[in-house]
Amino acid sequence: MKKWFSRVLFVSLSLLLVFVFSGCTARPNASAGKSVLKLNNGSEPTTFNPAVAFDSYSLNPLNNLLEGLTRLDKTNNPKPAMAQSWTVSKDQKTYTFHIRQDAKWTNGDPVTAGDFVYSWKQLLNPKTASPAAFLGYLIQGAEAYNAGKGPASGMMVTAAGSKTLVVKLKAAQSYFTNLISNPAFFPVDAKVAQKNPKWFANAKTFVGNGPYKLTSWKHNASMVFTKNNTYWDSKSVKLDQIDWAMVNNPDTEYQMYKSGQLDSSGVPADLSTKLFQSGKVKVAPQGGTFFISMNVKKAPFQNINIRKAFAYAVDNKQITDYVLKQKNVPAYGFVSPGFKDPSGQDFRAHNGDLYKYDPTLAKSLLKKGMKEAGYKTLPKITLTYSTDPQNQAVCEAIQAMLKKNLGVSVGLANMEWNVYQSQQKAGKFQLSKGSFLADFADPIDYLLNFQTGNQMNSMQWSNKQYDQLTKEASTEANNTKRYNAMYQAEKLLINQMPLFPVYFYNQAYLLNPKVSGIVYHPVGYMELKWAAKAK
C-alpha cells in the first residue's frame, strides 16, 4: 500500500502551484453556510472497486463511501455497522450476521445478504485478480476457489434470507470481526454491479452505503463527498461536505494548508524541526513498514549473502533522524510495534531486532557473496521507486550508503504510482521500494504478504518452511501456537533477507484547530464519520 511523503522544493514554485490549483478549482459560494472539510488525497485513487482497491489513495476515501458488516470505532475496535448483530457457533467457526433493516444504498436499494455474497465472491473470483484476495482465505472454500481448484459454491458465504448472512471459517480466528471491517469486505449493490461492471468509475454511477456519498469526481483533480442522509447512522455525521484535492507535492500541500485551502497537511522535512518544536505537529501511530525489495530471480540478488550485504550497509537510524525527520522508528524486523501476544508482550519486543547496521560485516558478506556467485564486478543495479519526493529522498540516502559502505554504484529510477504498482507486482524490478500498511490488527497480515505467489511478494521469493509456518498461523485457533509460528516466520524471512526493512510508518500531520473528530486508525483507514469543523 501507498503513503505519501515530503521533500524540500523552492517556495516560489510551491506558491505558483497553489495559485494554479486554486484558480482551477474555485467554486464561488459553492459551500457557503456548509460545514466543509478540505483534505488532500495526494493522488488519483487507483480504483473505487473495493474488491480490487489496495492502496491508501483509494482506501482512505473509500472507507467513508462504503461500509462493511463491522466498522472500527474511535478506540479501533470492530463494532456493528451494516450488521446490527451476529451470533457465533460453539466451535467459533460459524458466524451468522443480521443485516440492518434500514440499511440502504444511495440509490434507495436495500442492502442485502445477497450483496455481501456477491461482493465477497467477487473478491475471491480468480478472474478479479484481487491483490487482497488472500485476506479471505480463512473462509471455508475461499482459497480453493481463488486458486481455480474449487467452485464458487464451495466458498462458505451464503444468504439465509435477504437480511441474514452465514459465514463458515476454516478455523476459529479471534480477529475475524476486525478483518471484515477492511474495505476488501465492503459490499457492493449486486444489481448495479451486474448491470454496469464499471459502476465504480465515476460519481454519476457510483452507489455507496457509507456515511458520505460521492457527489463529484474530476479525475486527477478533485473529489467532493456530501453527507449521505440515507445512511443508517446519519445522525452521527456532522459534516455537510468533504472537498478532496489531489496534490502530490508535500510543499504545495503545506502552502495550501497555510493559506486555508486545506484543513490538514503533512510535515515538510525542511520545516520538520521547527514545526515539531512549536508543538503544532500531531503524531498518530500507524501499522506499516517501509522496506526495500530484492528480486531473488534477478542478478545479483539470487545470492543470499549479497542480499544481506545490502541490508547491513544501510543505516536506518540515519534515515529516520536526518532524512525523514518525522519521529519514525527505524525497523530491523518487518512487523511493526503494537501487537500483543497472549502473554501481553509486544510482538516487536519479543522478536527484537533481527539484524543491525554493520558496514564492516556488510563488506565481508558482499565479498563472500560475489565469490559464491562468480562475480568479479556486480551487474548494473537500479533501485526503482514510485514518484514521490519522500521516496526519492530515502532512496537517494540508500544509494549514498551503498556507495560509501560497499563501493557499489546504484542507479535510481522512478515512475508514477499506478504504473509502478502493476510492474512491481509483476516482478519487473531488480531492487525496489516496498510499502506495506496493515489491513487488520494481527501480525499475520504482515507475514502473509511473502507467501509464495502473493501479489505483495515483489521479490519473487519462495520458501516452503515459511509458507507452512504462515499457513499454520492462519488456521490455528490457539493464539499461543499462532504467535509462536509467526515469530518463527518473521525470523526466517529476515534470515533469508529477500527484503530489508527501513522504518515503521507513523502519521505526522498538521490540523486546523477548528477540526475535530477525525480518527486516524493505527491499523485501518482515515475515519471521517465523526469529524466536525467549527464555523
Side-chain angles (χ1 to χ4, degrees):
M1 300 211 195
K2 184 71 171 65
K3 183 179 178 180
W4 57 95
F5 303 97
S6 57
R7 69 166 177 174
V8 180
L9 286 181
F10 292 109
V11 173
S12 58
L13 174 59
S14 300
L15 290 171
L16 175 61
L17 290 172
V18 171
F19 175 77
V20 171
F21 183 87
S22 61
C24 290
T25 61
R27 295 188 306 278
N29 301 318
S31 57
K34 295 180 180 179
S35 177
V36 180
L37 180 65
K38 295 172 287 186
L39 299 175
N40 179 27
N41 198 49
S43 186
E44 170 79 358
T46 305
T47 179
F48 274 167
N49 179 357
V52 180
F54 207 52
D55 62 274
S56 63
Y57 291 141
S58 304
L59 296 178
N60 274 322
L62 195 59
N63 190 53
N64 296 283
L65 294 172
L66 292 171
E67 182 170 272
L69 294 168
T70 62
R71 192 174 195 92
L72 299 183
D73 66 8
K74 297 175 185 179
T75 60
N76 311 308
N77 293 307
K79 292 298 173 64
M82 284 293 102
Q84 187 168 12
S85 62
W86 55 86
T87 57
V88 186
S89 62
K90 286 186 178 180
D91 64 3
Q92 304 291 301
K93 292 183 181 180
T94 301
Y95 285 71
T96 302
F97 295 95
H98 304 286
I99 296 170
R100 296 179 185 278
Q101 294 297 322
D102 57 349
K104 292 182 179 180
W105 295 102
T106 49
N107 64 358
D109 288 347
V111 177
T112 68
D115 291 331
F116 280 92
V117 173
Y118 174 85
S119 307
W120 290 17
K121 290 191 176 183
Q122 282 295 103
L123 172 68
L124 274 298
N125 188 331
K127 293 181 179 179
T128 303
S130 171
F134 71 96
L135 296 176
Y137 283 2
L138 75 173
I139 299 170
Q140 286 185 30
E143 185 173 5
Y145 175 45
N146 186 243
K149 297 179 180 179
S153 59
M155 181 176 164
M156 293 291 95
V157 179
T158 57
S162 65
K163 292 287 186 177
T164 304
L165 183 75
V166 180
V167 184
K168 294 184 179 181
L169 308 183
K170 291 190 291 187
Q173 294 294 357
S174 58
Y175 59 80
F176 181 60
T177 55
N178 186 298
L179 171 66
I180 59 175
S181 70
N182 183 274
F185 296 92
F186 284 168
V188 304
D189 189 331
K191 290 180 182 178
V192 170
Q194 289 167 338
K195 185 176 180 179
N196 176 16
K198 297 293 184 181
W199 64 274
F200 51 82
N202 60 71
K204 287 184 178 180
T205 56
F206 188 90
V207 177
N209 69 329
Y212 299 93
K213 57 185 179 180
L214 181 59
T215 304
S216 170
W217 186 0
K218 296 179 181 178
H219 292 284
N220 297 297
S222 64
M223 297 180 292
V224 176
F225 293 4
T226 54
K227 180 177 179 178
N228 177 14
N229 291 317
T230 65
Y231 177 58
W232 70 272
D233 194 25
S234 63
K235 66 180 184 299
S236 295
V237 180
K238 304 296 190 296
L239 294 172
D240 296 307
Q241 184 172 308
I242 305 168
D243 290 349
W244 296 85
M246 297 182 193
V247 175
N248 65 5
N249 183 287
D251 294 290
T252 304
E253 179 186 66
Y254 177 70
Q255 292 300 327
M256 292 174 69
Y257 171 76
K258 289 287 288 181
S259 66
Q261 294 178 82
L262 290 174
D263 288 314
S264 183
S265 169
V267 183
D270 58 316
L271 298 175
S272 177
T273 302
K274 179 181 178 181
L275 290 171
F276 270 99
Q277 288 177 346
S278 73
K280 294 179 180 179
V281 179
K282 300 177 183 293
V283 179
Q286 183 167 47
T289 309
F290 182 109
F291 62 98
I292 298 297
S293 168
M294 294 176 281
N295 192 328
V296 302
K297 292 187 177 180
K298 291 187 181 293
F301 298 113
Q302 302 102 320
N303 183 273
I304 186 173
N305 286 309
I306 293 176
R307 298 198 299 269
K308 287 185 174 182
F310 273 58
Y312 282 75
V314 175
D315 187 345
N316 295 348
K317 193 170 190 310
Q318 285 283 319
I319 290 173
T320 58
D321 289 355
Y322 299 107
V323 179
L324 294 171
K325 297 187 283 187
Q326 306 281 310
K327 305 295 184 184
N328 295 88
V329 175
Y332 294 99
F334 192 74
V335 178
S336 64
F339 302 98
K340 304 285 188 188
D341 69 14
S343 72
Q345 188 176 27
D346 189 273
F347 185 103
R348 184 73 276 128
H350 180 282
N351 254 15
D353 290 344
L354 299 180
Y355 76 107
K356 64 180 181 179
Y357 170 61
D358 189 334
T360 302
L361 178 59
K363 288 177 184 177
S364 174
L365 288 167
L366 180 63
K367 183 178 179 180
K368 181 180 180 182
M370 289 178 67
K371 183 177 180 180
E372 290 170 345
Y375 291 124
K376 289 187 177 180
T377 58
L378 289 177
K380 182 181 178 181
I381 298 173
T382 301
L383 172 56
T384 308
Y385 60 93
S386 54
T387 304
D388 179 283
Q390 193 74 17
N391 290 342
Q392 178 178 338
V394 173
C395 289
E396 285 175 346
I398 290 172
Q399 178 190 44
M401 291 173 183
L402 294 173
K403 181 66 175 177
K404 176 184 176 182
N405 294 326
L406 296 179
V408 175
S409 296
V410 173
L412 297 180
N414 69 296
M415 57 185 65
E416 292 303 316
W417 167 244
N418 288 340
V419 178
Y420 179 85
Q421 185 183 43
S422 62
Q423 294 212 10
Q424 188 181 51
K425 286 177 184 175
K428 300 291 186 183
F429 302 140
Q430 177 192 31
L431 184 68
S432 60
K433 168 259 175 185
S435 176
F436 174 73
L437 297 179
D439 303 289
F440 60 95
D442 193 273
I444 193 60
D445 186 34
Y446 289 70
L447 301 172
L448 288 175
N449 290 298
F450 309 112
Q451 286 183 329
T452 302
N454 190 291
Q455 288 194 44
M456 272 288 289
N457 190 348
S458 57
M459 62 285 301
Q460 307 291 294
W461 180 65
S462 178
N463 184 286
K464 290 182 179 179
Q465 184 183 359
Y466 184 87
D467 290 347
Q468 182 60 35
L469 286 168
T470 50
K471 184 176 180 180
E472 289 174 9
S474 299
T475 57
E476 174 59 60
N478 183 295
N479 253 349
T480 299
K481 291 181 179 179
R482 281 186 67 243
Y483 268 81
N484 285 338
M486 290 190 288
Y487 287 139
Q488 292 180 60
E490 191 198 39
K491 288 177 180 176
L492 178 58
L493 175 70
I494 300 302
N495 179 261
Q496 292 291 303
M497 204 68 84
L499 59 83
F500 62 88
V502 180
Y503 61 88
F504 297 124
Y505 286 127
N506 64 15
Q507 301 177 81
Y509 61 96
L510 300 162
L511 187 66
N512 183 341
K514 292 183 178 181
V515 175
S516 61
I518 297 178
V519 179
Y520 297 88
H521 294 298
V523 176
Y525 302 95
M526 183 186 291
E527 180 61 74
L528 302 172
K529 174 177 175 176
W530 302 288
K533 183 177 177 181
K535 295 181 181 179

